[in-house]
């Protein structure tokens, strides 16, 4: 056993009931045998030096996130998370299935509403969602895709089974960290890459661009795609600029666009040029001041009408947020069965609907045992973990639940799985979740091999969000044996990785100058970090 991992198994067993992805008791699990062997000769001092180098390189590159107005390097643990190919195959199929069901659901609720008439989900559950927008009714995307990009959050329970924690099909973020983490770890641990066959992640921008081009209005031969950002004050601006640069498209703000006669144009030094697809990273409420917030300066008046006329595609589509509602989430197993005629591959976490009187009574009796979440919350905001809450916090929570029961769900405290993490010169178990990203081009749903692993850096901490002190890991999906010898180069990292498995899924634009309206724009910009 490598000295780096000395004592890890004992630390993992010390009063922890979570599933550990590295050890089963004292026995090393198969996916981590290669990692343990590769690190055998490495000392803690060497790992510490490489960790410091990672943090410095992230600061130099601007790979940061914002907490209370302070830009910090996004914490990246030097030890990767390893997932074997069979486990990933199940995740891949489960995410594809979920995206297909969500596509059918969104098309239905904004059109004929057959799901209501057949009693799968009450109409009131959907129409009372904060992110249900009647402005989206009757808007049919050119190729039928509403969920061009999705991030499905998964956790691994105490039995080692991956379960869906929540869906993100509105404006999912975090994929930039997947790509930058891979490049950074490939540079910091080149010897590990030489000894493992890892599925690459560098093709994501090309997959995304292909899906956006496929979503262009009919009859457009050379579609123009842009990335719409709220601006430099947004917590995910680094991601917006990275994706625009790697796709080779323009990064624009709302003031760079103008709608004329139902069409969207972009201001350039050569005059107005047509725009056909907008990969928007602006929330619905700020996208079009004609139909949503009249005081918004982040979007462009007329975007919704242009989309309704079929002259521009908004990716993701407006109104998708209703599928992110955590109360709607509780109906997803039935929704999958209804639209696809098959059982869910990935199960939900057990959940109580507090709008139901019997469930509400049970939860209120067990507030100190459960986790309560606001149905429209994100980034870990508003979550109350009963066992860690004070009596006063629980009393206030009870009042809020009784006042607005539809606004809450309850779940058991899920002991998220643990993985080896290097903190303060020691390797210890830390809790993680996983956000796989999927891209839908209308023909197939492609799932990025790996996704974003977020890690709670505090010992015993269960909330992984960076806004609460969490970090991230590079996620390695191991490739199976190739059918033919070939060396594939991960273009994102420049690292040589082994041949592709035979599995079935195998000019930078800068934002415009800040105007005199910066203060108001900064106030409206939404924090879209993955955390």
């Amino acid at each position: 056993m490598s000295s780096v991992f000395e004592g890890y198994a004992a630390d993992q067993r010390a009063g922890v009931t979570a599933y550990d992805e590295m050890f089963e008791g004292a026995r090393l699990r198969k996916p981590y045998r290669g990692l343990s062997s590769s690190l055998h000769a490495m000392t803690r001092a060497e790992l510490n030096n490489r960790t410091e180098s990672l943090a410095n390189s992230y600061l130099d590159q601007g790979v940061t996130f914002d907490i209370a107005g302070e830009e910090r390097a996004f914490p990246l643990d030097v030890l990767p998370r390893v997932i074997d190919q069979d486990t990933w195959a199940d995740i891949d199929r489960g995410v594809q299935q979920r995206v297909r069901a969500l596509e059918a659901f969104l098309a239905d609720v904004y059109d004929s509403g057959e799901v209501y008439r057949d009693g799968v989900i009450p109409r009131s559950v959907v129409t009372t969602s904060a992110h249900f927008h009647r402005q989206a009714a009757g808007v049919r995307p050119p190729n039928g895709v509403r969920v061009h990009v999705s991030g499905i959050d998964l956790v691994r329970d105490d039995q080692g089974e991956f379960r869906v924690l929540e869906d993100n099909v509105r404006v999912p973020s975090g994929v930039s960290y997947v790509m930058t983490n891979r490049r950074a770890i490939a540079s910091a641990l080149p010897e590990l890459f030489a000894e493992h066959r890892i599925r690459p992640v560098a093709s994501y921008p090309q997959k995304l661009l292909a899906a956006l081009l496929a979503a262009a209005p009919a009859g457009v031969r050379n579609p123009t795609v842009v990335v719409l950002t709220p601006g430099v004050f947004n917590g995910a601006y680094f991601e917006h600029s990275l994706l625009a640069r790697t796709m080779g498209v323009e990064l624009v703000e709302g003031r760079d666009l103008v709608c004329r006669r139902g069409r969207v144009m972009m201001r350039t030094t050569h005059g107005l040029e047509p725009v056909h697809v907008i990969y928007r990273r602006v929330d619905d409420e700020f996208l079009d001041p004609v139909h949503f917030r009249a005081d918004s300066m982040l979007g462009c008046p007329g975007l919704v009408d242009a989309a309704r006329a079929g002259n521009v595609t908004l990716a993701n589509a407006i109104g998708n947020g209703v599928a992110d509602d955590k109360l709607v989430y509780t109906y997803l197993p039935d929704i999958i069965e209804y639209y696809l005629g098959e059982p869910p591959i990935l199960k939900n976490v057990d959940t109580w609907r507090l709008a139901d009187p019997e469930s509400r009574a049970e939860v209120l009796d067990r507030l100190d045992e459960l986790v309560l979440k606001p149905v429209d919350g994100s980034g870990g905001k508003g979550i109350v973990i009963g066992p860690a809450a004070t009596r006063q916090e629980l009393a206030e929570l009870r009042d809020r639940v009784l006042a607005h029961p539809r606004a809450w769900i309850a779940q058991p405290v899920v002991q998220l799985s643990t993985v080896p993490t290097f903190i303060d010169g020691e390797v210890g178990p830390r809790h993680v979740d996983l956000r796989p990203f999927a891209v839908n081009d209308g023909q197939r749903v492609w799932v990025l091999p790996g996704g974003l692993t977020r890690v709670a850096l505090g010992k015993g901490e269960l909330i992984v969000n960076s806004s609460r002190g969490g970090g991230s890991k590079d996620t390695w999906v191991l490739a199976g044996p190739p059918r033919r010898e070939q060396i594939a180069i991960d273009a994102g990292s420049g690292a040589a990785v082994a041949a592709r498995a035979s599995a079935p899924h195998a000019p930078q634009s800068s934002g415009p100058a800040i105007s005199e309206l910066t203060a108001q724009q900064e106030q409206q910009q939404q924090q879209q970090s993955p955390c």
Side-chain angles (χ1 to χ4, degrees):
M1 177 63 63
S2 167
S3 60
V4 167
F5 294 104
E6 185 177 355
Y8 178 88
D11 189 14
Q12 185 273 327
R13 292 194 301 269
V16 178
T17 60
Y19 178 92
D20 187 74
E21 298 188 14
M22 182 175 183
F23 281 96
E24 182 180 9
R27 184 174 66 86
L28 195 64
R29 297 187 193 274
K30 186 176 179 180
Y32 280 87
R33 291 174 188 171
L35 182 67
S36 177
S37 175
S38 298
L39 293 174
H40 182 76
M42 193 173 294
T43 66
R44 288 181 173 85
E46 287 180 87
L47 273 184
N48 197 57
N49 289 337
R50 300 193 192 200
T51 297
E52 291 180 0
S53 177
L54 280 176
N56 291 334
S57 70
Y58 265 28
L59 279 175
D60 293 341
Q61 296 174 59
V63 187
T64 61
F65 70 101
D66 180 88
I67 291 185
E70 179 183 354
E71 287 291 324
R72 304 182 187 178
F74 191 65
L76 171 61
D77 182 46
V78 71
L79 298 180
R81 181 189 196 175
V82 185
I83 300 176
D84 66 86
Q85 60 172 333
D86 291 336
T87 300
W88 181 256
D90 292 336
I91 293 173
D92 190 310
R93 291 188 303 111
V95 171
Q96 289 186 50
Q97 179 195 59
R98 200 158 180 108
V99 172
R100 292 199 307 270
L102 288 169
E103 284 279 13
F105 172 71
L106 288 167
D108 193 6
V109 299
Y110 285 115
D111 200 324
S112 58
E114 294 178 6
V115 71
Y116 307 138
R117 293 197 295 269
D118 291 336
V120 179
I121 184 172
R123 184 186 297 269
S124 61
V125 169
V126 173
T127 57
T128 58
S129 172
H131 299 296
F132 175 74
H133 296 308
R134 299 184 187 279
Q135 295 90 333
V139 178
R140 299 182 178 180
N143 67 338
V145 176
R146 286 173 167 79
V147 184
H148 304 81
V149 180
S150 57
I152 309 298
D153 287 353
L154 308 178
V155 295
R156 207 168 190 176
D157 63 18
D158 55 8
Q159 301 301 312
E161 180 180 9
F162 276 99
R163 290 176 175 258
V164 178
L165 186 65
E166 63 181 53
D167 302 293
N168 296 280
V169 297
R170 187 174 25 145
V171 191
S173 65
V175 74
S176 60
Y177 299 118
V178 177
M179 296 185 290
T180 54
N181 286 355
R182 177 60 54 85
R183 290 198 298 267
I185 295 299
S187 176
L189 299 171
E191 57 269 64
L192 268 68
F193 272 83
E195 297 170 359
H196 290 77
R197 297 190 64 251
I198 308 160
R199 294 185 62 182
V201 299
S203 62
Y204 180 86
Q206 289 70 41
K207 294 286 187 180
L208 175 58
L209 180 59
L212 296 175
L213 291 172
V220 179
R221 289 189 176 183
N222 298 301
T224 297
V225 176
V226 299
V227 176
L228 175 62
T229 177
V232 296
F233 296 108
N234 184 264
Y237 182 76
F238 164 78
E239 175 160 305
H240 307 163
S241 60
L242 175 68
L243 290 175
R245 182 173 69 252
T246 53
M247 287 193 293
V249 304
E250 293 293 335
L251 179 68
V252 302
E253 294 184 25
R255 59 188 166 198
D256 298 315
L257 303 177
V258 60
C259 290
R260 299 278 177 85
R261 295 184 293 276
R263 299 183 182 275
V264 181
M265 312 294 286
M266 171 175 57
R267 293 185 173 96
T268 74
T269 55
H270 303 291
L272 295 179
E273 296 184 1
V275 172
H276 306 103
V277 182
I278 300 175
Y279 178 45
R280 52 98 175 194
R281 300 302 297 265
V282 176
D283 285 343
D284 290 355
E285 292 79 7
F286 295 88
L287 193 60
D288 185 341
V290 174
H291 291 275
F292 296 105
R293 287 188 52 160
D295 62 342
S296 173
M297 300 166 58
L298 304 180
C300 172
L303 283 184
V304 173
D305 291 337
R308 184 179 298 279
N311 295 325
V312 71
T313 300
L314 299 176
N316 284 350
I318 58 173
N320 277 14
V322 68
D324 292 355
D325 188 296
K326 293 180 179 63
L327 183 56
V328 174
Y329 154 92
T330 66
Y331 291 90
L332 251 294
D334 295 331
I335 288 172
I336 291 172
E337 292 264 10
Y338 176 70
Y339 289 111
L340 305 183
E342 55 193 37
I345 296 171
L346 296 171
K347 299 177 182 176
N348 280 10
V349 173
D350 296 336
T351 308
W352 286 268
R353 302 166 184 160
L354 299 193
D356 176 67
E358 292 184 7
S359 297
R360 184 167 63 249
E362 179 183 354
V363 168
L364 291 177
D365 284 342
R366 301 175 55 195
L367 278 181
D368 59 343
E369 303 173 14
L370 303 173
V371 177
L372 270 75
K373 301 178 179 181
V375 297
D376 59 352
S378 61
K381 297 176 182 177
I383 293 177
V384 180
I385 300 178
T390 66
R391 289 186 177 181
Q392 181 177 350
E393 289 171 337
L394 293 177
E396 293 173 353
L397 176 62
R398 178 185 296 272
D399 292 340
R400 294 200 297 271
V401 169
L402 290 172
H404 301 286
R406 194 262 182 244
W408 296 87
I409 60 165
Q411 295 174 335
V413 178
V414 179
Q415 287 292 334
L416 312 184
S417 61
T418 56
V419 296
T421 305
F422 188 72
I423 298 177
D424 298 329
E426 300 289 337
V427 176
R430 292 296 186 272
H431 296 287
V432 294
D433 74 353
L434 177 66
R435 177 176 290 182
F437 291 91
V439 175
N440 185 4
D441 65 6
Q443 299 297 318
R444 62 173 293 203
V445 178
W446 176 79
V447 183
L448 179 68
L452 179 65
T453 287
R454 300 182 297 181
V455 55
L457 299 179
K459 189 172 184 178
E461 178 64 59
L462 291 174
I463 297 182
V464 299
N465 309 90
S466 63
S467 56
R468 302 283 291 270
S472 69
K473 284 177 168 288
D474 189 16
T475 309
W476 290 5
V477 174
L478 300 180
R483 286 184 177 173
R484 58 185 180 275
E485 290 302 321
Q486 174 186 358
I487 298 298
I489 302 300
D490 186 334
S493 66
V497 296
R500 279 189 174 179
S502 57
H505 301 296
Q508 182 177 5
S509 170
S510 58
I514 301 174
S515 72
E516 69 277 3
L517 302 174
T518 292
Q520 183 177 354
Q521 179 171 357
E522 180 179 6
Q523 182 179 7
Q524 291 187 11
Q525 284 174 348
Q526 307 305 293
Q527 295 300 314
Q528 294 173 0
S529 71
C531 321

